[in-house]
Amino acid sequence: MKLDLWKSKIYNGMMLTYGLAAVSLILAVALVANGMFRRNTILHVVPFQVTHEYWASATESSEEYRKQVALSLLSWVSNVTPLSVEYTHKLFLQYVPPDQYGEWSENFGAEAVYVKKNNLNRVFFPTATRVTEDEVIIQGMERRFVGKTETQEEEREYHVKLRMEGWKPYVVSVSAVHLDRTNSADTKPSGTKNQRSS
């Protein structure tokens, strides 16, 4: 009688052990599969200053998001000094599409040489923004200095085109328009990549 009881307990214990082993194996396989087939981590780029609600997806974004991202990134190219120009351009290039990186890098290299050679300091103070279908227009006052001497102050608009790709905003083009000049040679079309007037 006791022998049958012991056999029964051993059998129940073995069944319980096999059951726990099977559950453990299923969990281990699920964890490994999750790690192997997991999708890429989503990195959401947050603007420097968030003032209103916005939304962004892998391929689209709201007007507010585009406006805040454009304001955040524009400062790296609109405010330059001989000491900071290379570093801020390097930061900006992180948001340039890979297929345009070479062209932007070349143009930035030429601008850095010009800024250093002429000891140019440029500061842009945004005063208004508006968003059209495919670009953000940032209006403001730009002041230029050679060393510490102010040489020019003018109203200017920057036209920034953005594209969402894989949850990341990319700057497709930046162009500048002088608002207080009538000479058409000083106005750059907004459709061209990386065009800026000095």
Side-chain angles (χ1 to χ4, degrees):
M1 189 72 174
K2 287 186 179 180
L3 186 60
D4 290 338
L5 183 61
W6 279 105
K7 283 182 180 179
S8 175
K9 285 185 178 181
I10 289 172
Y11 179 77
N12 288 341
M14 284 176 44
M15 288 296 110
L16 187 60
T17 303
Y18 288 143
L20 289 174
V23 169
S24 299
L25 182 62
I26 290 170
L27 287 174
V29 169
L31 286 171
V32 170
N34 184 41
M36 289 175 60
F37 299 108
R38 189 179 190 173
R39 296 207 172 219
N40 294 335
T41 304
I42 294 171
L43 175 64
H44 177 59
V45 177
V46 179
F48 294 158
Q49 181 179 2
V50 178
T51 54
H52 296 88
E53 285 186 10
Y54 66 81
W55 62 266
S57 70
T59 57
E60 296 179 307
S61 60
S62 65
E63 287 188 0
E64 182 64 25
Y65 181 78
R66 291 197 304 275
K67 181 171 78 170
Q68 294 301 331
V69 166
L71 281 166
S72 299
L73 298 180
L74 181 64
S75 63
W76 287 339
V77 292
S78 62
N79 301 313
V80 297
T81 69
L83 292 175
S84 69
V85 64
E86 287 181 346
Y87 180 69
T88 55
H89 285 174
K90 184 179 176 182
L91 292 174
F92 186 87
L93 284 170
Q94 296 176 47
Y95 295 91
V96 169
D99 60 328
Q100 296 178 18
Y101 189 91
E103 183 182 349
W104 280 86
S105 187
E106 185 179 324
N107 290 339
F108 278 160
E111 183 178 32
V113 169
Y114 178 79
V115 166
K116 288 179 177 181
K117 181 180 177 183
N118 295 293
N119 196 20
L120 176 69
N121 296 277
R122 186 176 62 228
V123 185
F124 179 69
F125 302 96
T127 56
T129 56
R130 65 186 186 277
V131 182
T132 64
E133 286 183 12
D134 62 344
E135 68 181 7
V136 180
I137 301 166
I138 303 168
Q139 186 177 339
M141 187 64 66
E142 184 170 274
R143 290 183 183 154
R144 293 189 196 163
F145 302 82
V146 174
K148 293 182 180 179
T149 307
E150 184 173 344
T151 59
Q152 199 167 20
E153 178 180 282
E154 61 188 10
E155 283 188 87
R156 180 178 276 218
E157 272 186 357
Y158 280 96
H159 296 241
V160 182
K161 285 190 179 182
L162 297 170
R163 171 175 91 208
M164 289 295 288
E165 191 175 301
W167 292 91
K168 184 173 181 178
Y170 285 107
V171 180
V172 177
S173 69
V174 174
S175 60
V177 177
H178 299 277
L179 298 180
D180 53 354
R181 293 188 190 176
T182 55
N183 186 350
S184 61
D186 292 325
T187 302
K188 299 286 185 176
S190 61
T192 8
K193 300 174 194 167
N194 189 24
Q195 284 204 347
R196 303 192 50 248
S197 54
S198 300

